mmCIF file of all heavy atoms in Angstrom:
data_model
loop_
_atom_site.group_PDB
_atom_site.id
_atom_site.type_symbol
_atom_site.label_atom_id
_atom_site.label_comp_id
_atom_site.label_asym_id
_atom_site.label_seq_id
_atom_site.Cartn_x
_atom_site.Cartn_y
_atom_site.Cartn_z
ATOM 1 N N THR B 341 -59.155 -14.570 -79.062
ATOM 2 C CA THR B 341 -60.455 -14.275 -78.457
ATOM 3 C C THR B 341 -60.448 -14.833 -77.038
ATOM 4 O O THR B 341 -59.741 -15.809 -76.754
ATOM 5 C CB THR B 341 -61.607 -14.951 -79.205
ATOM 6 O OG1 THR B 341 -61.518 -16.363 -79.027
ATOM 7 C CG2 THR B 341 -61.577 -14.624 -80.686
ATOM 8 N N ILE B 342 -61.229 -14.200 -76.185
ATOM 9 C CA ILE B 342 -61.540 -14.795 -74.879
ATOM 10 C C ILE B 342 -63.050 -14.753 -74.791
ATOM 11 O O ILE B 342 -63.655 -13.677 -74.885
ATOM 12 C CB ILE B 342 -60.817 -14.047 -73.736
ATOM 13 C CG1 ILE B 342 -59.285 -14.173 -73.967
ATOM 14 C CG2 ILE B 342 -61.223 -14.639 -72.385
ATOM 15 C CD1 ILE B 342 -58.424 -13.755 -72.822
ATOM 16 N N GLU B 343 -63.657 -15.927 -74.687
ATOM 17 C CA GLU B 343 -65.092 -16.011 -74.901
ATOM 18 C C GLU B 343 -65.774 -17.106 -74.081
ATOM 19 O O GLU B 343 -66.321 -18.048 -74.640
ATOM 20 C CB GLU B 343 -65.398 -16.233 -76.382
ATOM 21 C CG GLU B 343 -64.587 -17.362 -77.039
ATOM 22 C CD GLU B 343 -65.008 -17.613 -78.494
ATOM 23 O OE1 GLU B 343 -66.203 -17.679 -78.771
ATOM 24 O OE2 GLU B 343 -64.107 -17.754 -79.333
ATOM 25 N N PRO B 344 -65.749 -16.977 -72.770
ATOM 26 C CA PRO B 344 -66.487 -17.961 -71.986
ATOM 27 C C PRO B 344 -67.981 -17.864 -72.269
ATOM 28 O O PRO B 344 -68.490 -16.811 -72.681
ATOM 29 C CB PRO B 344 -66.176 -17.574 -70.538
ATOM 30 C CG PRO B 344 -65.793 -16.140 -70.597
ATOM 31 C CD PRO B 344 -65.160 -15.916 -71.938
ATOM 32 N N GLY B 345 -68.678 -18.973 -72.039
ATOM 33 C CA GLY B 345 -70.118 -18.990 -72.241
ATOM 34 C C GLY B 345 -70.760 -20.050 -71.375
ATOM 35 O O GLY B 345 -70.104 -21.017 -70.978
ATOM 36 N N VAL B 346 -72.026 -19.865 -71.058
ATOM 37 C CA VAL B 346 -72.789 -20.906 -70.363
ATOM 38 C C VAL B 346 -74.061 -21.151 -71.154
ATOM 39 O O VAL B 346 -74.706 -20.203 -71.645
ATOM 40 C CB VAL B 346 -73.117 -20.519 -68.906
ATOM 41 C CG1 VAL B 346 -71.844 -20.394 -68.082
ATOM 42 C CG2 VAL B 346 -73.915 -19.231 -68.832
ATOM 43 N N TYR B 347 -74.409 -22.418 -71.307
ATOM 44 C CA TYR B 347 -75.526 -22.808 -72.186
ATOM 45 C C TYR B 347 -76.422 -23.765 -71.432
ATOM 46 O O TYR B 347 -75.999 -24.875 -71.107
ATOM 47 C CB TYR B 347 -74.978 -23.453 -73.468
ATOM 48 C CG TYR B 347 -73.924 -22.581 -74.109
ATOM 49 C CD1 TYR B 347 -72.575 -22.743 -73.796
ATOM 50 C CD2 TYR B 347 -74.275 -21.537 -74.975
ATOM 51 C CE1 TYR B 347 -71.602 -21.917 -74.329
ATOM 52 C CE2 TYR B 347 -73.321 -20.703 -75.509
ATOM 53 C CZ TYR B 347 -71.978 -20.889 -75.183
ATOM 54 O OH TYR B 347 -71.026 -20.056 -75.718
ATOM 55 N N MET B 348 -77.643 -23.354 -71.168
ATOM 56 C CA MET B 348 -78.584 -24.196 -70.452
ATOM 57 C C MET B 348 -79.615 -24.705 -71.450
ATOM 58 O O MET B 348 -80.503 -23.962 -71.874
ATOM 59 C CB MET B 348 -79.253 -23.362 -69.364
ATOM 60 C CG MET B 348 -78.209 -22.868 -68.362
ATOM 61 S SD MET B 348 -78.929 -21.788 -67.117
ATOM 62 C CE MET B 348 -77.545 -21.709 -65.962
ATOM 63 N N PRO B 349 -79.469 -25.977 -71.825
ATOM 64 C CA PRO B 349 -80.285 -26.528 -72.925
ATOM 65 C C PRO B 349 -81.776 -26.264 -72.698
ATOM 66 O O PRO B 349 -82.309 -26.518 -71.614
ATOM 67 C CB PRO B 349 -79.977 -28.025 -72.873
ATOM 68 C CG PRO B 349 -78.686 -28.149 -72.134
ATOM 69 C CD PRO B 349 -78.594 -26.988 -71.223
ATOM 70 N N GLY B 350 -82.440 -25.774 -73.753
ATOM 71 C CA GLY B 350 -83.877 -25.539 -73.683
ATOM 72 C C GLY B 350 -84.265 -24.232 -73.011
ATOM 73 O O GLY B 350 -85.402 -23.772 -73.157
ATOM 74 N N LEU B 351 -83.319 -23.618 -72.289
ATOM 75 C CA LEU B 351 -83.624 -22.383 -71.572
ATOM 76 C C LEU B 351 -82.984 -21.184 -72.290
ATOM 77 O O LEU B 351 -83.617 -20.497 -73.080
ATOM 78 C CB LEU B 351 -83.142 -22.503 -70.127
ATOM 79 C CG LEU B 351 -83.490 -21.350 -69.184
ATOM 80 C CD1 LEU B 351 -84.988 -21.173 -69.068
ATOM 81 C CD2 LEU B 351 -82.859 -21.563 -67.811
ATOM 82 N N TYR B 352 -81.702 -20.973 -72.043
ATOM 83 C CA TYR B 352 -80.966 -19.916 -72.741
ATOM 84 C C TYR B 352 -79.488 -20.059 -72.491
ATOM 85 O O TYR B 352 -79.048 -20.898 -71.688
ATOM 86 C CB TYR B 352 -81.471 -18.522 -72.364
ATOM 87 C CG TYR B 352 -81.642 -18.239 -70.880
ATOM 88 C CD1 TYR B 352 -80.639 -18.498 -69.978
ATOM 89 C CD2 TYR B 352 -82.842 -17.679 -70.405
ATOM 90 C CE1 TYR B 352 -80.799 -18.212 -68.627
ATOM 91 C CE2 TYR B 352 -83.016 -17.387 -69.060
ATOM 92 C CZ TYR B 352 -81.977 -17.658 -68.173
ATOM 93 O OH TYR B 352 -82.132 -17.374 -66.844
ATOM 94 N N GLY B 353 -78.730 -19.215 -73.183
ATOM 95 C CA GLY B 353 -77.280 -19.236 -73.044
ATOM 96 C C GLY B 353 -76.720 -17.831 -73.086
ATOM 97 O O GLY B 353 -77.388 -16.886 -73.529
ATOM 98 N N VAL B 354 -75.509 -17.707 -72.616
ATOM 99 C CA VAL B 354 -74.793 -16.431 -72.589
ATOM 100 C C VAL B 354 -73.373 -16.665 -73.095
ATOM 101 O O VAL B 354 -72.734 -17.635 -72.683
ATOM 102 C CB VAL B 354 -74.695 -15.889 -71.144
ATOM 103 C CG1 VAL B 354 -73.737 -14.684 -71.074
ATOM 104 C CG2 VAL B 354 -76.052 -15.539 -70.574
ATOM 105 N N ARG B 355 -72.890 -15.800 -73.971
ATOM 106 C CA ARG B 355 -71.466 -15.796 -74.298
ATOM 107 C C ARG B 355 -71.056 -14.333 -74.448
ATOM 108 O O ARG B 355 -71.809 -13.528 -75.020
ATOM 109 C CB ARG B 355 -71.194 -16.572 -75.596
ATOM 110 C CG ARG B 355 -69.714 -16.576 -75.999
ATOM 111 C CD ARG B 355 -69.387 -17.604 -77.106
ATOM 112 N NE ARG B 355 -70.001 -17.331 -78.376
ATOM 113 C CZ ARG B 355 -71.042 -17.980 -78.880
ATOM 114 N NH1 ARG B 355 -71.611 -18.970 -78.204
ATOM 115 N NH2 ARG B 355 -71.546 -17.655 -80.046
ATOM 116 N N VAL B 356 -69.919 -13.987 -73.893
ATOM 117 C CA VAL B 356 -69.371 -12.646 -74.074
ATOM 118 C C VAL B 356 -67.950 -12.826 -74.547
ATOM 119 O O VAL B 356 -67.177 -13.590 -73.933
ATOM 120 C CB VAL B 356 -69.431 -11.820 -72.762
ATOM 121 C CG1 VAL B 356 -68.984 -10.374 -73.051
ATOM 122 C CG2 VAL B 356 -70.848 -11.813 -72.193
ATOM 123 N N GLU B 357 -67.618 -12.180 -75.667
ATOM 124 C CA GLU B 357 -66.338 -12.450 -76.320
ATOM 125 C C GLU B 357 -65.597 -11.160 -76.641
ATOM 126 O O GLU B 357 -66.165 -10.256 -77.255
ATOM 127 C CB GLU B 357 -66.607 -13.210 -77.627
ATOM 128 C CG GLU B 357 -65.357 -13.492 -78.451
ATOM 129 C CD GLU B 357 -65.671 -14.231 -79.733
ATOM 130 O OE1 GLU B 357 -66.806 -14.104 -80.238
ATOM 131 O OE2 GLU B 357 -64.792 -14.947 -80.226
ATOM 132 N N GLU B 358 -64.349 -11.121 -76.231
ATOM 133 C CA GLU B 358 -63.487 -9.996 -76.535
ATOM 134 C C GLU B 358 -62.284 -10.472 -77.329
ATOM 135 O O GLU B 358 -61.950 -11.667 -77.299
ATOM 136 C CB GLU B 358 -62.980 -9.345 -75.228
ATOM 137 C CG GLU B 358 -64.080 -8.794 -74.360
ATOM 138 C CD GLU B 358 -64.682 -7.500 -74.871
ATOM 139 O OE1 GLU B 358 -65.054 -7.446 -76.060
ATOM 140 O OE2 GLU B 358 -64.792 -6.559 -74.067
ATOM 141 N N MET B 359 -61.604 -9.534 -77.996
ATOM 142 C CA MET B 359 -60.346 -9.850 -78.656
ATOM 143 C C MET B 359 -59.218 -9.180 -77.893
ATOM 144 O O MET B 359 -59.315 -7.997 -77.528
ATOM 145 C CB MET B 359 -60.366 -9.384 -80.098
ATOM 146 C CG MET B 359 -61.293 -10.251 -80.943
ATOM 147 S SD MET B 359 -61.254 -9.786 -82.666
ATOM 148 C CE MET B 359 -59.639 -10.418 -83.148
ATOM 149 N N VAL B 360 -58.163 -9.926 -77.673
ATOM 150 C CA VAL B 360 -57.072 -9.482 -76.814
ATOM 151 C C VAL B 360 -55.739 -9.682 -77.522
ATOM 152 O O VAL B 360 -55.482 -10.746 -78.098
ATOM 153 C CB VAL B 360 -57.089 -10.307 -75.493
ATOM 154 C CG1 VAL B 360 -55.900 -9.971 -74.620
ATOM 155 C CG2 VAL B 360 -58.406 -10.059 -74.738
ATOM 156 N N LEU B 361 -54.917 -8.654 -77.469
ATOM 157 C CA LEU B 361 -53.552 -8.727 -77.997
ATOM 158 C C LEU B 361 -52.606 -9.021 -76.854
ATOM 159 O O LEU B 361 -52.647 -8.348 -75.806
ATOM 160 C CB LEU B 361 -53.189 -7.379 -78.648
ATOM 161 C CG LEU B 361 -51.706 -7.147 -78.973
ATOM 162 C CD1 LEU B 361 -51.244 -8.068 -80.087
ATOM 163 C CD2 LEU B 361 -51.470 -5.674 -79.337
ATOM 164 N N ILE B 362 -51.750 -10.010 -77.019
ATOM 165 C CA ILE B 362 -50.694 -10.269 -76.026
ATOM 166 C C ILE B 362 -49.536 -9.305 -76.332
ATOM 167 O O ILE B 362 -49.066 -9.235 -77.477
ATOM 168 C CB ILE B 362 -50.222 -11.736 -76.091
ATOM 169 C CG1 ILE B 362 -51.409 -12.714 -76.019
ATOM 170 C CG2 ILE B 362 -49.195 -12.012 -74.993
ATOM 171 C CD1 ILE B 362 -52.276 -12.575 -74.776
ATOM 172 N N THR B 363 -49.140 -8.561 -75.305
ATOM 173 C CA THR B 363 -48.061 -7.572 -75.482
ATOM 174 C C THR B 363 -46.822 -8.036 -74.730
ATOM 175 O O THR B 363 -46.839 -9.055 -74.034
ATOM 176 C CB THR B 363 -48.496 -6.191 -74.942
ATOM 177 O OG1 THR B 363 -48.751 -6.337 -73.522
ATOM 178 C CG2 THR B 363 -49.764 -5.715 -75.613
ATOM 179 N N LYS B 364 -45.742 -7.264 -74.857
ATOM 180 C CA LYS B 364 -44.510 -7.645 -74.141
ATOM 181 C C LYS B 364 -44.724 -7.645 -72.636
ATOM 182 O O LYS B 364 -44.161 -8.438 -71.908
ATOM 183 C CB LYS B 364 -43.383 -6.686 -74.495
ATOM 184 C CG LYS B 364 -42.740 -7.057 -75.827
ATOM 185 C CD LYS B 364 -41.587 -6.158 -76.170
ATOM 186 C CE LYS B 364 -41.127 -6.429 -77.614
ATOM 187 N NZ LYS B 364 -40.334 -5.353 -78.177
ATOM 188 N N LYS B 365 -45.544 -6.692 -72.176
ATOM 189 C CA LYS B 365 -45.712 -6.568 -70.736
ATOM 190 C C LYS B 365 -46.982 -7.221 -70.186
ATOM 191 O O LYS B 365 -47.122 -7.400 -68.988
ATOM 192 C CB LYS B 365 -45.734 -5.084 -70.344
ATOM 193 C CG LYS B 365 -44.397 -4.411 -70.617
ATOM 194 C CD LYS B 365 -44.366 -3.010 -70.043
ATOM 195 C CE LYS B 365 -42.981 -2.388 -70.179
ATOM 196 N NZ LYS B 365 -42.976 -0.972 -69.806
ATOM 197 N N GLY B 366 -47.917 -7.531 -71.074
ATOM 198 C CA GLY B 366 -49.161 -8.112 -70.567
ATOM 199 C C GLY B 366 -50.158 -8.343 -71.686
ATOM 200 O O GLY B 366 -49.984 -9.225 -72.519
ATOM 201 N N ARG B 367 -51.167 -7.493 -71.750
ATOM 202 C CA ARG B 367 -52.216 -7.700 -72.726
ATOM 203 C C ARG B 367 -52.925 -6.379 -72.978
ATOM 204 O O ARG B 367 -52.861 -5.471 -72.134
ATOM 205 C CB ARG B 367 -53.228 -8.710 -72.213
ATOM 206 C CG ARG B 367 -54.153 -8.135 -71.134
ATOM 207 C CD ARG B 367 -54.499 -9.083 -70.068
ATOM 208 N NE ARG B 367 -53.369 -9.527 -69.293
ATOM 209 C CZ ARG B 367 -52.836 -8.862 -68.260
ATOM 210 N NH1 ARG B 367 -53.289 -7.666 -67.889
ATOM 211 N NH2 ARG B 367 -51.813 -9.347 -67.590
#
Side-chain angles (χ1 to χ4, degrees):
Chain B
T341 68
I342 298 192
E343 49 175 314
V346 295
Y347 309 91
M348 298 176 169
L351 185 60
Y352 48 50
V354 170
R355 179 167 65 256
V356 186
E357 177 180 27
E358 299 285 50
M359 289 184 73
V360 174
L361 166 68
I362 308 302
T363 62
K364 278 182 189 161
K365 294 189 174 172
R367 75 217 63 83

